[in-house]
Amino acid sequence: MDRRPAHLNRTGLTLLGAVLAVAGGAGLARGLGAFGDGRASAPVLTDDVRRFADERGWFWPALAAAAVVLALLGLAWLLAQGRSGKVSGLALEPDADAGATRLSAKAVRGVIEDEIGEYPGVRKVRARLIGSSGRPELRLNVAYGHRADVAELRRRIEEEGVPRLCAALERDSVPTVVRLRLVPKEQPPTVV
């Protein structure tokens, strides 16, 4: 899975948060008189800045336009966070003129989860299809028990499960990421 967007989000939000925290802290300190009583009661904008804004009629409209652009960028970023990249359905016909056959991604996930879930030692399987309908990618999270043969499990996923899925979808390949996770040994129930 590509973690670059998540890393960029965290880095950007950390930097923005730090800048806003410093600016807010400085404003609060100024208002409380940390820089002297004269500065605490002084206007935020100096006479030079107010005069500059008054002499140029474009200043306040330009400032308002910049604020609107920043608000729209923030809204676009916020909406992008809601997109999961999950595929809702797969197009099975390569040529739209020949017809349109769509297969539910939920059905595809169910089939691969059921098949891999029957492999020896597997406790739980979660599958996700991401990307686009024309170029889906498969993400598998497989939880297995202590008695599972991990090498055999991996081999079966690579040589049986995923190739069967590709054949069913009539695709040469489906890029797949498999995460194998050992689950703790289950404790037998205690009898009192």
Side-chain angles (χ1 to χ4, degrees), residues 63-81:
L63 191 63
V68 168
V69 167
L70 283 174
L72 290 175
L73 286 172
L75 181 62
W77 173 82
L78 185 63
L79 292 174
Q81 302 312 303

Side-chain angles (χ1 to χ4, degrees), residues 100-157:
T101 304
R102 290 191 57 83
L103 181 61
S104 162
K106 184 177 181 180
V108 173
R109 289 192 318 262
V111 168
I112 193 76
E113 286 174 357
D114 289 346
E115 178 175 343
I116 295 173
E118 293 177 5
Y119 294 170
V122 172
R123 298 273 177 85
K124 186 176 181 181
V125 180
R126 299 293 293 165
R128 285 183 59 216
L129 287 171
I130 63 170
S132 66
S133 177
R135 297 176 54 90
E137 296 179 19
L138 178 64
R139 301 294 187 253
L140 287 171
N141 289 315
V142 181
Y144 62 93
H146 287 285
R147 294 197 173 130
D149 181 355
V150 180
E152 178 65 12
L153 175 60
R154 183 172 173 252
R155 184 199 65 75
R156 287 192 72 183
I157 291 171

Side-chain angles (χ1 to χ4, degrees), residues 9 12 20 31 39 46 49 53 56 76 84 104 106 115 124 138 157 160 175 181:
N9 273 343
L20 291 176
R39 292 195 60 133
T46 64
V49 173
R56 287 154 183 85
S84 65
S104 162
K106 184 177 181 180
E115 178 175 343
K124 186 176 181 181
L138 178 64
I157 291 171
E160 295 176 25
R181 180 176 56 92

Side-chain angles (χ1 to χ4, degrees), residues 169-187:
L169 297 177
E170 299 175 348
R171 298 180 190 274
D172 294 332
S173 67
V174 174
T176 304
V177 173
V178 179
R179 289 191 177 142
L180 298 173
R181 180 176 56 92
L182 176 66
V183 293
K185 188 174 184 178
E186 290 182 359
Q187 299 295 325

Side-chain angles (χ1 to χ4, degrees), residues 26-96:
L28 182 63
R30 179 182 175 182
L32 293 175
F35 302 117
D37 290 334
R39 292 195 60 133
S41 60
V44 174
L45 299 178
T46 64
D47 290 334
D48 291 337
V49 173
R50 285 187 299 210
R51 192 172 21 262
F52 177 84
D54 289 341
E55 291 172 358
R56 287 154 183 85
W58 55 265
F59 181 79
W60 292 115
L63 191 63
V68 168
V69 167
L70 283 174
L72 290 175
L73 286 172
L75 181 62
W77 173 82
L78 185 63
L79 292 174
Q81 302 312 303
R83 293 188 204 117
S84 65
K86 289 188 341 185
V87 176
S88 61
L90 299 173
L92 295 182
E93 297 296 329
D95 183 15

